[in-house]
């Protein structure tokens, strides 16, 4: 599957960063991204104001309307959640097909290139999900399938049953847990990695301060560990480093954080999200910012010397809330070591 070097995470147009923009502005934002050579758009059935059930599909409707004039020139990715009760009542395959059919209708298309399980439901065998996805691929309803926020053990179980096309997980300069095993696993098997929150919810753009207000009812940044006031201050040296490099490269800190990722891995595609058109275009402009091998090595060495305050972690499962971000990492860090 071939996509633009940088994709667009569309969630912010419907949820997650305070008040959402109006309909026409959002449609224009997606179309301007396409005009800027973005061909990869990421959405999910769950993305709607406050993630309220009655708002399910809000973001898919925006994306479907926006890309309709050039649908055959872009790659669409969307995601589903599997509820244990729903699966028990209707059966796994019927449930997945119903969710996909609803997403396709909202997206105004007869297929999606990439269909993710948004979170692994530990009560439903991954192998069973993979077998259903294989049938959907055979029928041409989806081009490939993926998983989000998984461990390498979860990924391997799924991949052994039906080859996984892509893994979507949090990944940035300050959330590098994927580098330990997931990214190498994917690289060795031709699996793409799609990095959400590659600018760390704005931290790496250098625009946030301890006074930044995340108190809105629908602002996920209040749960991001690195953005807690004490951690914002502790992470300032990382932001200062990015500003220095950005100044030398005539770029922005956000663009340097994305250029670092593109230089480091050939199979990782960042999908920064924003509700502001100027930020969306700035992020896409990072594809034109090239780091030399020497510049990259210097940046890597500098980053390695700077501790990160606060981690969300890259493993989450169905049923966990935003308030539990970082729980898996804390459990792992506090677990007794083998003697």
């Amino acid at each position: 599957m071939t996509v633009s070097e940088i994709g667009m995470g569309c969630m912010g147009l419907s949820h997650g960063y305070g008040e959402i923009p109006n309909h026409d502005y959002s449609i224009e934002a997606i179309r301007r991204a396409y005009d800027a050579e973005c061909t990869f758009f990421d959405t999910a059935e769950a993305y709607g104001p406050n993630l309220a059930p009655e708002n399910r599909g809000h973001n898919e409707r925006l994306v479907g309307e926006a890309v309709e004039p050039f649908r055959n020139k872009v790659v669409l990715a969307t995601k589903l959640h599997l509820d244990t009760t729903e699966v028990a009542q209707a059966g796994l395959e019927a449930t997945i097909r119903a969710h996909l059919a609803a997403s396709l209708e909202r997206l105004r298309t007869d297929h999606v290139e990439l269909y993710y399980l948004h979170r692994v439901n530990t009560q439903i065998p991954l192998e069973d999900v993979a077998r259903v996805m294989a049938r959907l691929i055979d029928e041409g309803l989806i081009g490939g399938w993926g998983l989000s926020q998984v461990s390498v053990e979860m990924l391997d179980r799924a991949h052994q049953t039906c080859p996984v096309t892509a893994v979507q997980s949090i990944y940035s300069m300050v959330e590098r847990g994927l580098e330990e095993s997931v990214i190498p696993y994917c690289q060795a098997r031709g699996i793409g990695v799609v990095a959400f929150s590659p600018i760390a919810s704005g931290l790496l753009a250098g625009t946030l301060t301890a006074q930044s207000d995340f108190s809105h009812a629908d602002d996920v940044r209040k749960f991001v560990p690195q953005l807690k006031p004490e951690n914002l201050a502790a992470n300032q040296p990382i932001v200062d480093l990015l500003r220095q490099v950005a100044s030398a490269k005539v770029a922005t800190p956000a663009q340097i954080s994305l250029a670092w990722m593109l230089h480091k891995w050939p199979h990782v595609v960042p999908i920064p999200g924003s509700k502001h058109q100027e930020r969306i275009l700035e992020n896409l402009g990072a594809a034109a910012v090239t780091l030399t091998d020497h510049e990259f090595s210097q940046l890597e060495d500098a980053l390695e010397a700077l501790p990160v305050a606060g981690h969300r972690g890259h493993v989450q499962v169905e049923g966990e809330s935003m308030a539990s971000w970082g729980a898996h990492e804390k459990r792992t860090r506090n677990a007794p070591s083998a003697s």
Side-chain angles (χ1 to χ4, degrees), residues 22-321:
N22 66 47
H23 171 273
D24 292 346
Y25 182 92
S26 297
I27 297 297
E28 182 182 58
I30 295 169
R31 290 178 176 171
R32 289 188 70 187
Y34 173 73
D35 290 339
E37 301 186 353
C38 177
T39 63
F40 186 32
F41 297 90
D42 182 89
T43 182
E45 64 175 18
Y47 296 159
N50 297 297
L51 296 183
E54 62 270 22
N55 295 327
R56 173 183 284 183
H58 179 274
N59 199 247
E60 288 181 323
R61 291 187 184 94
L62 287 176
V63 173
E65 179 181 346
V67 307
E68 190 172 29
F70 43 84
R71 170 65 186 97
N72 64 340
K73 297 180 180 179
V74 298
V75 170
L76 292 183
T78 192
K79 317 175 195 72
L80 85 155
H81 284 277
L82 289 175
D83 177 76
T84 306
T85 301
E86 183 181 11
V87 170
Q89 292 175 345
L92 178 60
E93 182 161 350
T95 297
I96 292 177
R97 286 183 180 276
H99 281 252
L100 177 59
S103 288
L104 294 179
E105 181 177 1
R106 291 188 289 258
L107 288 166
R108 305 186 183 191
T109 187
D110 60 0
H111 72 286
V112 288
E113 283 74 16
L114 189 51
Y115 198 40
Y116 293 105
L117 182 59
H118 208 148
R119 292 291 183 269
V120 170
N121 186 325
T122 57
Q123 299 182 57
I124 301 171
L126 260 174
E127 294 83 354
D128 292 348
V129 176
R131 280 187 277 271
V132 175
M133 294 295 185
R135 286 191 280 274
L136 297 177
I137 292 170
D138 288 343
E139 294 172 24
L141 293 172
I142 64 176
W145 81 293
L147 299 163
S148 181
Q149 291 289 84
V150 291
S151 66
V152 74
E153 292 78 14
M154 294 173 178
L155 173 57
D156 187 62
R157 285 172 50 205
H159 186 66
Q160 292 298 327
T161 305
C162 176
V164 172
T165 305
V167 172
Q168 181 176 135
S169 280
I170 190 167
Y171 178 55
S172 71
M173 287 179 167
V174 294
E175 284 283 1
R176 296 173 68 168
L178 282 191
E179 293 181 353
E180 182 177 349
S181 58
V182 173
I183 287 179
Y185 179 98
C186 291
Q187 188 172 28
R189 292 161 180 81
I191 301 171
V193 175
V194 178
F196 74 79
S197 200
I199 306 171
S201 298
L203 171 67
L204 301 178
T207 58
L208 303 179
T209 69
Q211 286 71 49
S212 296
D213 180 18
F214 308 131
S215 62
H216 308 86
D218 192 18
D219 197 320
V220 300
R221 290 172 293 185
K222 66 169 69 73
F223 302 108
V224 176
Q226 293 101 339
L227 302 189
K228 294 183 183 300
E230 66 275 17
N231 290 340
L232 268 174
N235 288 320
Q236 188 60 42
I238 299 172
V239 177
D240 293 341
L241 170 64
L242 282 174
R243 284 180 175 147
Q244 292 172 9
V245 178
S247 177
K249 296 293 291 184
V250 193
T252 67
Q255 289 175 333
I256 295 301
S257 72
L258 294 169
W260 165 84
M261 189 177 296
L262 293 176
H263 186 103
K264 187 165 188 176
W265 304 105
H267 65 306
V268 174
V269 178
I271 51 166
S274 177
K275 64 179 184 178
H276 301 293
Q277 292 185 13
E278 63 272 20
R279 291 294 182 207
I280 293 168
L281 296 178
E282 174 191 337
N283 294 336
L284 293 173
V289 178
T290 302
L291 297 175
T292 66
D293 289 343
H294 179 65
E295 288 169 337
F296 173 79
S297 295
Q298 285 188 313
L299 181 55
E300 272 283 77
D301 291 344
L303 287 169
E304 289 291 342
L306 296 174
V308 177
H311 287 282
R312 172 175 169 178
H314 70 278
V315 179
Q316 287 175 266
V317 297
E318 189 72 30
E320 291 183 338
S321 69

